Amino acid sequence: MTNIPVKVSIIVPVYNVENYLAKCLDSLINQTLQNIEILVVNDGSKDNSEEIIQNYVQKYPEKIRAFNKENGGLSDARNFGLDRAAGDYIGFVDSDDYVTSTMFEEMLALAEKHRTKMVICNIQKVDQNGNITQKLTQIPNMPEKIDLEKNFSVFSDVSYFACNKLFKKELFDGKRFKKGAHFEDIQLIPQLLLKCETLAQTQSFHYQYLERTDSITKTHTERGLDILKAVEDVEYTFRGSNYFHKKKELKNFQIFEGVYSFLAYLAYVKDEKTFYNMADKLEVFMDERSIKIKDILNYCRFDKNYLLYLPLKKKIFYLLFFAGQKKLIRKII
């Protein structure tokens, strides 16, 4: 490593991504921001990922710090990197994705310009040929600097991906990704946002999210209940935050993540017994929080009714669920 103080530590967890890792690392090596470190955490890969990592370490010893550990999952690998990061700011990049060359230079400039602890950029979904399949604008119709006290609707509107954000390292003081949990981003990132007074954003589509054709379709199981547990963890932090009085936004967060996101997962649960068990747990979740069907139907995201703008198939699934037609849903899916 050089003597230039590290401004940004980029953490890249690696697990069996030999076909994609080089493109990811190339995009980080070629960052226009020079004072970065790339922490590559091999989480027990069984393919040729380690060989690829070592080739990059030999070529770019001043940029890449490589680590090898036993497999512990994504949260564990990210936490491993966090514990060793030297930068003032932290970024996360998944090892099958890649980013534009100016991503971290622009996001760091925004963080310093607005003295904010979190910066967000837009995401593009790309296929394996690099073609854009979908553009995901994160915070439309808002300024570059967002005052959270005045615009707290952002709390329930924003997507809580870790990888399209730059974080001040101090946000992670006493906070880590929950090991062994699925939906670790939903569990942690809102808690970090609650420690912020402002956000900054760029409308640039810096993060390139690869939709892989070779990935085995993930089985949807009762691990989806981790979504509800994640929301519970956020609720606990919310009550002790400076935004504890923003009850409407908390309810909207519960509706978006706890109801809509959960149902989007539930739609792909094949096992009938698991489906009904999870559906029952969701109804308990809603009852405990006094979330009524009218609250869900009236829920707006970015000032637009969420349900109205969904694809027809999703709309039908949600409406049948809200109408209590679970058996009919099972026939359809």
Side-chain angles (χ1 to χ4, degrees), residues 99-115:
V99 301
T100 64
S101 62
T102 56
M103 174 169 169
F104 288 102
E105 181 176 26
E106 183 182 3
M107 292 177 81
L108 176 65
L110 286 171
E112 293 183 334
K113 174 183 173 184
H114 298 300
R115 296 184 183 179

Side-chain angles (χ1 to χ4, degrees), residues 160-218:
Y160 284 109
F161 308 111
C163 291
N164 69 323
K165 297 172 179 66
L166 185 69
F167 305 92
K168 195 84 188 282
K169 189 182 179 185
E170 66 192 49
L171 286 177
F172 293 94
D173 291 349
K175 297 284 184 188
R176 287 294 185 270
F177 290 95
K178 197 170 185 178
K179 189 180 174 184
H182 288 210
F183 309 99
E184 58 284 312
D185 288 3
I186 297 173
Q187 191 268 344
L188 180 64
I189 309 304
Q191 295 188 54
L192 303 185
L193 186 142
L194 289 168
K195 295 171 81 173
C196 299
E197 293 176 2
T198 59
L199 294 177
Q201 65 151 339
T202 166
Q203 288 297 315
S204 301
F205 289 84
H206 283 307
Y207 196 85
Q208 316 299 302
Y209 174 87
L210 177 65
E211 293 192 289
R212 288 165 57 175
T213 53
D214 69 338
S215 60
I216 300 163
T217 305
K218 289 179 182 174

Side-chain angles (χ1 to χ4, degrees), residues 10-18 21 25 38-54 57 64-74 76-78 80-81 84 93 95:
I10 305 166
I11 297 168
V12 185
V14 171
Y15 183 70
N16 294 350
V17 283
E18 61 183 5
L21 185 54
L25 294 179
I38 304 159
L39 286 79
V40 185
V41 182
N42 185 359
D43 191 41
S45 295
K46 296 177 176 65
D47 64 358
N48 289 320
S49 294
E50 178 61 18
E51 192 179 324
I52 295 165
I53 293 166
Q54 289 310 318
V57 170
I64 293 185
R65 295 171 62 197
F67 304 91
N68 228 317
K69 62 182 281 298
E70 284 184 16
N71 181 254
L74 179 62
D76 196 47
R78 284 178 175 170
F80 186 97
R84 290 156 180 80
V93 176
S95 49

